[in-house]
Amino acid sequence: MSQQTAFRRAEKQYKARDRRPDLSTVIDLAAIETSNEPRVRRLCLTRDLCTPSALPFRVFTESRPHAYAIHGHPGLIVIPNPFTDESQRWLARKCLCDCTQPPNRTNLDPFFDMPAASLFTLASKPSKRQCAVDSRVQLGIMGPDITQPKDKFYSQPAMPADLLERLRWCTLGWQYNWTTKKYDLGASAFDSVLNELMRSIAVAIGNPASAGGDACSDNSYDGSQFSCQAGIINYYDERTTMAGHVDKTEETMDAPLISLSVGLTCVYLIGGPTRETEPTPLLLHSGDILAMCGESRLAFHGVPRVLANTSPVCLTKPDAGDNDFLADKYPAWRHFAVYLNAHRINCNARKCL
């Protein structure tokens, strides 16, 4: 039996389904003010988080929220949920409805003749009004580089609600080719409002200071140079995991990779340049911002566990978003509430060139 790496051992510890995960050694930044956590160092933002000009509601609860660095992982910056309730719901709508439409692609596109309307919108209709989505396998119109799926689900028409449960990722902006591990440059433009939001975060986390006010080297990147050229939205149910990996396709590795979480809490592992580095476990809650800057851009990271029944009430209450900005453009909030009560969404963005 081959010896397991430190990262793999940590993954197995949290992935085990025969017992409740032991979270006693997991860093919870949401409770950091009431705990004595020696692995965490507080940072002070020296620039404001700014609301995108297209949004008429308040996006952040404060302009310079607390931020944290993790000892042993230089360049990793975490901001515990700085978002208002409405902005979290806005992000959920953006990720489930707006960003899943063409020309963006999902993991389902190679196997199904996906309609132009968003899958979530179709799945929210009464079952009697839903139309099955044809399988490309059945129609014989799969691309030449697509492997025949082993699961029979992909070889027959499927209802939108069933497809929604199989939705795992959506690529934004320059579309990532999972086979060649390269970007299809210029395939589509990145959502402009989401780009402005991510850029505001990149600016705010630039050159942070220590809690004592001294300059520190956690992120020297000039956020004003940041623009979202590509991104991925990952959709997790309670049993979905993300294996340890490094994001290194981008030519510009000095720019941060910015990640936003919505919905269920997860255990996030941040390691080092190899799988042999012992990873540090963190809890990422709904609304948390995580930025991989500097050295951490080449660190192994993954999600071995999503924790059930952890979504905040501002997302799971059936009528929570009924009066939000542009709420009438989307399905009733009760449909989002059901989904977010059992799923986690992670939206990340990066500059490629």
Side-chain angles (χ1 to χ4, degrees):
M1 182 177 179
S2 60
Q3 186 175 5
Q4 292 181 344
T5 64
F7 202 99
R8 180 58 178 154
R9 286 195 299 272
E11 286 180 313
K12 291 188 69 174
Q13 174 186 345
Y14 296 107
K15 287 175 69 174
R17 291 285 168 180
D18 58 347
R19 59 185 181 274
R20 292 176 61 87
D22 179 6
L23 304 179
S24 60
T25 61
V26 181
I27 296 174
D28 184 2
L29 293 173
I32 204 69
E33 298 301 326
T34 58
S35 67
N36 182 20
E37 177 52 76
R39 294 171 292 176
V40 170
R41 178 167 49 87
R42 185 178 166 189
L43 301 175
C44 295
L45 301 183
T46 57
R47 295 174 177 82
D48 292 346
L49 288 169
C50 300
T51 292
S53 57
L55 299 181
F57 55 87
R58 188 180 181 186
V59 170
F60 300 107
T61 56
E62 54 184 309
S63 58
R64 296 189 185 183
H66 292 169
Y68 299 92
I70 310 299
H71 287 297
H73 304 284
L76 187 77
I77 298 176
V78 184
I79 304 176
N81 181 23
F83 290 100
T84 62
D85 292 350
E86 182 170 0
S87 58
Q88 283 197 60
R89 293 190 293 266
W90 171 83
L91 184 59
R93 289 181 172 108
K94 178 70 65 176
C95 291
L96 284 168
C97 295
D98 299 341
C99 292
T100 55
Q101 299 181 64
N104 292 335
R105 301 169 193 159
T106 75
N107 61 296
L108 299 171
D109 283 88
F111 308 109
F112 291 94
D113 190 18
M114 301 298 289
S118 79
L119 187 61
F120 189 88
T121 299
L122 296 175
S124 300
K125 294 181 178 180
S127 56
K128 291 183 179 180
R129 294 178 55 194
Q130 291 187 28
C131 296
V133 179
D134 288 329
S135 164
R136 291 183 179 274
V137 179
Q138 184 185 43
L139 297 174
I141 56 173
M142 280 205 317
D145 58 339
I146 303 300
T147 304
Q148 187 80 11
K150 295 180 181 179
D151 190 335
K152 291 183 179 180
F153 176 85
Y154 297 96
S155 301
Q156 54 195 359
M159 300 304 290
D162 296 325
L163 286 173
L164 184 62
E165 286 303 311
R166 300 275 182 137
L167 181 65
R168 290 293 174 264
W169 52 259
C170 169
T171 47
L172 310 177
W174 292 355
Q175 300 294 292
Y176 186 70
N177 187 312
W178 299 91
T179 301
T180 64
K181 308 297 184 184
K182 294 181 179 179
Y183 288 104
D184 180 7
L185 304 184
S188 64
F190 202 96
D191 181 273
S192 59
V193 185
L194 198 53
N195 175 62
E196 190 176 351
L197 174 65
M198 294 290 193
R199 187 172 181 273
S200 169
I201 295 170
V203 169
I205 62 174
N207 296 300
S210 67
D214 298 327
C216 51
S217 59
D218 292 274
N219 177 32
S220 59
Y221 181 79
D222 179 3
S224 66
Q225 302 301 309
F226 185 85
S227 62
C228 300
Q229 293 172 322
I232 300 173
I233 302 174
N234 296 114
Y235 306 89
Y236 299 77
D237 61 27
E238 294 169 4
R239 299 185 68 85
T240 306
T241 63
M242 177 72 74
H245 65 284
V246 176
D247 296 289
K248 56 182 179 182
T249 302
E250 298 76 33
E251 292 185 19
T252 301
M253 296 298 290
D254 57 335
L257 188 156
I258 300 172
S259 167
L260 313 178
S261 295
V262 179
L264 295 174
T265 297
C266 76
V267 177
Y268 175 87
L269 294 178
I270 177 66
T274 74
R275 288 187 172 90
E276 299 297 340
T277 304
E278 188 72 33
T280 300
L282 314 172
L283 287 183
L284 289 182
H285 299 283
S286 187
D288 286 355
I289 298 173
L290 182 144
M292 302 179 75
C293 315
E295 290 183 40
S296 71
R297 267 302 263 118
L298 289 172
F300 276 87
H301 57 284
V303 177
R305 190 67 175 253
V306 174
L307 304 177
N309 304 313
T310 53
S311 288
V313 175
C314 69
L315 300 181
T316 59
K317 187 180 178 183
D319 62 350
D322 287 353
N323 297 317
D324 287 347
F325 173 64
L326 294 181
D328 56 352
K329 175 185 173 184
Y330 300 94
W333 184 257
R334 66 179 184 275
H335 299 292
F336 292 93
V338 170
Y339 184 90
L340 293 168
N341 191 51
H343 293 80
R344 172 181 184 257
I345 300 173
N346 174 257
C347 177
N348 62 76
R350 69 285 307 273
K351 184 176 182 180
C352 301
L353 299 175

